[in-house]
Amino acid sequence: MAVSEICCSCNLELINQRFAEQAELISSSIRSAEERILCQLNDRIGEMAGDVEQLSLRVQQLEVQLGAIPSLQAKLDDLQAKLQLKEEAGTAVEMESKLMAKVEAKLAAQSTESIAADLRMHGVPFSESENLRTIYNALCFSLNLTPPPKIKDIYRVKPRGSTGSTVDPVIIIKLDNVREKITILRQIGAYRREHKQQLSLQLIGFDTHVPFYVNEQLTKAHYEIFKAATKLKKQKLLTAVFIRRSLVHVREVRSDNIFCISDMNELSTLQNNNALHQQNVTATEELEQSFRN
């Protein structure tokens, strides 16, 4: 009985010892885990503190930027206002340019219309005692135009520049209407074809066969176009240049079409097109010639 009690007492001590050891081991593990978790928490809290600091700085930057928005908006509004003013100014300039172009075109049309029934005679010698209506009537009589077509006025153009010019001033004949002008020009053409010669001064009372010329009157701008077109004809970039209704007409090379030229830009465009056509024709002819050889 005594031995049994001793054994039980020994086992109980052993169990208590084991329990104490396990309790210590568990307690140590718990402390280690707590220390590890606490360390991790400290690290995470430190990271979070850094993130919070960066976020705070970003918030401060955003606050600064938000504070600058009103001034930026004011600058943007100012730029938009300036841009609108520029657009309005550009539109005004464009409208003014179009208006000026219309006015110029209208003035040119009125100028052309005012001389649409006019003829010009050049090559007629000037005389202090001359009677221009007598010269005009003699011209019409020579062209079998009796009675002569009615005229509004007839006068010589005063020469520009030096008064000592040896060139006789041009005579301007202002007819009553365009139809009468066309009649005279048609009769002049018939005279040239029938007699195979130009009009001569003998027809209008002078003792000489020197030729004189009667043509349609042109505005200064159309006269410049006529001179330029004549040069192009000599360069074989146009096949014909003539005046009709006081406007310059040309016949192009590539299609034989007739165009009314109202300004130098139109003539330049036509010149470039015909020059390119002429180059292509020349290149084709050279190529054909090389094939033949």
Side-chain angles (χ1 to χ4, degrees):
M1 185 68 179
V3 173
S4 177
E5 290 178 354
I6 293 172
C7 289
C8 288
S9 177
C10 289
N11 289 335
L12 182 59
E13 291 178 358
L14 182 61
I15 290 171
N16 290 334
Q17 183 180 355
R18 292 287 182 86
F19 179 79
E21 291 176 353
Q22 290 296 324
E24 181 63 25
L25 180 61
I26 292 171
S27 178
S28 177
S29 297
I30 291 173
R31 285 195 300 272
S32 177
E34 288 176 347
E35 291 175 356
R36 187 172 63 254
I37 292 172
L38 182 61
C39 183
Q40 291 177 352
L41 285 174
N42 288 333
D43 293 342
R44 183 57 181 162
I45 289 172
E47 293 176 358
M48 292 178 66
D51 293 341
V52 169
E53 184 177 359
Q54 292 181 358
L55 183 60
S56 177
L57 292 175
R58 181 58 180 164
V59 169
Q60 292 177 2
Q61 292 176 355
L62 289 175
E63 288 176 349
V64 172
Q65 292 177 355
L66 288 173
I69 285 179
S71 62
L72 292 175
Q73 184 64 43
K75 291 181 179 179
L76 180 60
D77 293 341
D78 184 55
L79 289 175
Q80 288 178 341
K82 290 181 178 178
L83 180 60
Q84 185 175 359
L85 287 175
K86 287 184 178 180
E87 290 177 350
E88 291 176 354
T91 303
V93 170
E94 184 179 359
M95 292 178 62
E96 184 177 357
S97 299
K98 290 181 178 179
L99 180 60
M100 288 298 297
K102 289 182 179 180
V103 171
E104 290 176 356
K106 187 174 181 179
L107 290 175
Q110 290 176 348
S111 179
T112 302
E113 184 179 353
S114 67
I115 64 168
D118 294 1
L119 291 173
R120 56 188 286 127
M121 296 174 61
H122 55 97
V124 178
F126 172 74
S127 172
E128 291 290 347
S129 60
E130 68 185 3
N131 187 320
L132 295 181
R133 287 186 179 270
T134 299
I135 293 175
Y136 169 73
N137 291 336
L139 170 65
C140 293
F141 179 78
S142 300
L143 297 175
N144 297 320
L145 291 173
T146 53
K150 293 182 179 180
I151 60 174
K152 296 179 180 178
D153 195 7
I154 181 169
Y155 56 90
R156 283 191 185 267
V157 177
K158 294 182 179 179
R160 296 180 180 178
S162 175
T163 56
S165 174
T166 58
V167 179
D168 294 300
V170 173
I171 298 174
I172 302 298
I173 306 171
K174 300 187 76 67
L175 290 139
D176 197 45
N177 54 64
V178 176
R179 184 178 62 257
E180 302 288 11
K181 181 187 75 171
I182 294 173
T183 299
I184 293 176
L185 292 173
R186 187 180 293 117
Q187 288 300 108
I188 292 174
Y191 178 89
R192 290 172 178 169
R193 289 190 296 271
E194 180 181 352
H195 296 86
K196 308 298 182 184
Q197 65 181 17
Q198 296 289 342
L199 299 174
S200 70
L201 292 174
Q202 189 179 34
L203 296 176
I204 54 176
F206 292 86
D207 189 17
T208 177
H209 290 281
V210 174
F212 72 98
Y213 304 92
V214 179
N215 298 302
E216 292 195 59
Q217 173 70 320
L218 296 174
T219 63
K220 181 180 179 180
H222 287 154
Y223 182 65
E224 294 299 325
I225 295 173
F226 178 74
K227 289 197 300 183
T230 303
K231 290 181 181 179
L232 295 180
K233 182 177 180 295
K234 291 180 180 179
Q235 297 172 7
K236 297 184 178 180
L237 295 177
L238 297 172
T239 58
V241 179
F242 56 94
I243 308 299
R244 181 182 295 167
R245 297 292 182 97
S246 298
L247 296 174
V248 181
H249 292 72
V250 300
R251 181 182 287 113
E252 66 172 358
V253 175
R254 55 179 181 166
S255 65
D256 214 30
N257 290 331
I258 295 175
F259 296 93
C260 176
I261 307 299
S262 59
D263 56 50
M264 294 296 291
N265 291 332
E266 292 181 0
L267 186 63
S268 297
T269 301
L270 194 62
Q271 173 187 357
N272 295 335
N273 293 340
N274 285 332
L276 181 60
H277 172 74
Q278 194 66 28
Q279 291 176 2
N280 293 336
V281 170
T282 303
T284 302
E285 291 175 351
E286 291 177 353
L287 185 62
E288 292 177 350
Q289 185 64 31
S290 64
F291 285 149
R292 293 191 191 100
N293 297 335

